[in-house]
Amino acid sequence: MRLRYIELFHAVLSTGSLTGAASLLNVSQPAASKALQQAESHLGFPLFSRVRGRLQPTPQALLMRHQIDKLMRDLYDLRRLAVNITRPESHPLRVTCTPALAQVLVPDAIARLGEVYPETIVELFTQHSAVMCESLMLREADIGLTLQDINHHGLVQEPLCRGNIKVIAPPGWWPERELDRPLPIKALAGQPMIGITVQDALGAMLQNHLTKVEPAPVTKVWVQTYQLACSLVARGGGLALVDPFTAQCSREPVQKRALKLEMDVVLYAVYRPDSPLDSVQTRFLDYMRQMAKKILTNS
């Protein structure tokens, strides 16, 4: 099938009519009708049948639909990449980061960068790590910041600093004298916990360690962000395991202790190897590194 046939097929599937497909593709209705006839002639079978005034895909067309959808997604990604490649070199600093880092680290680093480069325009996106990789590969962002080891073959992953998992608890949960002592993971046995359903390597490793605790912690509430876990913990919902930046920078009145566990939390900067960092990007990562280390030193 030629590309124009594929685009027409997808447009008819999306709109349910030749008129709608013609409008979507910015061609005339007769031109769309002729192209559809040509496509069916080349294929040797009909793609659509008319049912109550709408075009319905034939069984043969339905067999092709998955691959057509995939081709259209790839074509859309190619067009996005082409647009981003042709952007001028003076494009703004484009940063994508996980929601947790957008709350506690990145805003301060951006503010500090603005003091040195007041004319720089910054675009900040919040994305989970898998989507972040896609944005970087499509050149929609220049730098990614994550607490995950993404191990992507097309990207450079630079560790900025390392910290420890924190256990947070409602106010008064532990005596003040114990707050500087790391908490053994076995101390979580049978304790009420706020579960965090983040689908990433860090969350998976934490859940794996918790499955070995006997008796198992009691988890009745599950959330998708570390910030929400802090809010629930502060209101007496139980304990939670969070990254050190969320624990230290949270405005919620929670207690926090290091978790005694041989597992580091690493702050990574991720970027494309074919796009060397310029002075603004390098300075931004320097600020991220400095602020992250300062937070970990005080935690």
Side-chain angles (χ1 to χ4, degrees), residues 11-290:
V12 175
L13 284 174
S14 300
T15 64
S17 71
L18 271 174
T19 302
S23 176
L24 191 64
L25 298 175
N26 197 28
V27 299
S28 68
Q29 196 275 342
S33 179
K34 182 178 180 180
L36 180 59
Q37 291 174 5
Q38 290 173 338
E40 292 177 330
S41 176
H42 287 167
L43 290 170
F45 54 80
L47 292 171
F48 296 94
S49 59
R50 187 170 295 277
V51 179
R52 292 190 292 274
R54 291 181 64 85
L55 293 179
Q56 298 292 336
T58 62
Q60 296 93 330
L62 290 175
L63 291 174
M64 301 171 60
R65 182 168 191 166
H66 175 73
Q67 290 299 324
I68 292 293
D69 287 342
K70 182 178 181 299
L71 284 170
M72 291 304 298
R73 288 195 299 269
D74 290 343
L75 180 61
Y76 175 66
D77 286 346
L78 178 61
R79 286 170 175 163
R80 287 162 59 194
L81 178 59
V83 168
N84 289 319
I85 287 175
T86 57
R87 292 185 65 170
E89 290 302 317
S90 59
H91 63 70
L93 171 65
R94 301 174 300 169
V95 178
T96 174
C97 66
T98 58
L101 295 175
Q103 296 289 328
V104 299
L105 269 177
V106 178
D108 289 338
I110 289 176
R112 190 170 175 186
L113 184 75
E115 297 173 359
V116 180
Y117 297 99
E119 301 301 319
T120 296
I121 297 174
V122 179
E123 296 177 4
L124 175 62
F125 313 91
T126 56
Q127 299 171 318
H128 292 293
S129 299
V131 182
M132 179 185 303
C133 292
E134 181 182 356
S135 294
L136 290 167
M137 293 302 294
L138 290 173
R139 298 177 182 267
E140 294 176 335
D142 303 308
I143 296 174
L145 298 165
T146 178
L147 299 178
Q148 309 306 318
D149 183 354
I150 60 173
N151 193 26
H152 192 289
H153 64 87
L155 297 171
V156 174
Q157 184 171 276
E158 177 184 344
L160 300 182
C161 66
R162 299 174 182 269
N164 299 317
I165 291 292
K166 297 291 184 178
V167 187
I168 56 174
W173 189 274
W174 298 300
E176 290 291 325
R177 65 180 181 276
E178 294 184 8
L179 296 183
D180 291 333
R181 303 175 189 172
L183 184 74
I185 192 169
K186 63 182 180 180
L188 298 175
Q191 296 296 311
M193 297 281 294
I194 304 297
I196 301 175
T197 60
V198 178
Q199 300 298 315
D200 54 33
L202 176 60
M205 286 189 290
L206 289 176
Q207 288 302 316
N208 183 55
H209 284 291
L210 287 176
T211 59
K212 300 174 183 177
V213 176
E214 296 262 346
V218 180
T219 304
K220 295 184 178 179
V221 179
W222 293 87
V223 299
Q224 291 186 328
T225 67
Y226 296 114
Q227 292 80 15
L228 184 52
C230 284
S231 298
L232 290 169
V233 168
R235 288 156 180 79
L239 309 178
L241 302 181
V242 300
D243 66 89
F245 305 109
T246 297
Q248 186 65 18
C249 298
S250 174
R251 297 179 182 178
E252 300 287 356
V254 297
Q255 290 185 313
K256 48 187 176 289
R257 293 175 66 176
L259 182 64
K260 193 174 183 180
L261 187 67
E262 295 297 325
M263 190 178 94
D264 287 342
V265 177
V266 183
L267 172 61
Y268 292 103
V270 188
Y271 45 87
R272 297 180 302 277
D274 61 344
S275 301
L277 299 180
D278 60 28
S279 59
V280 175
Q281 295 165 340
T282 301
R283 181 69 67 92
F284 172 72
L285 290 186
D286 286 342
Y287 290 153
M288 284 292 301
R289 184 182 293 105
Q290 294 169 18

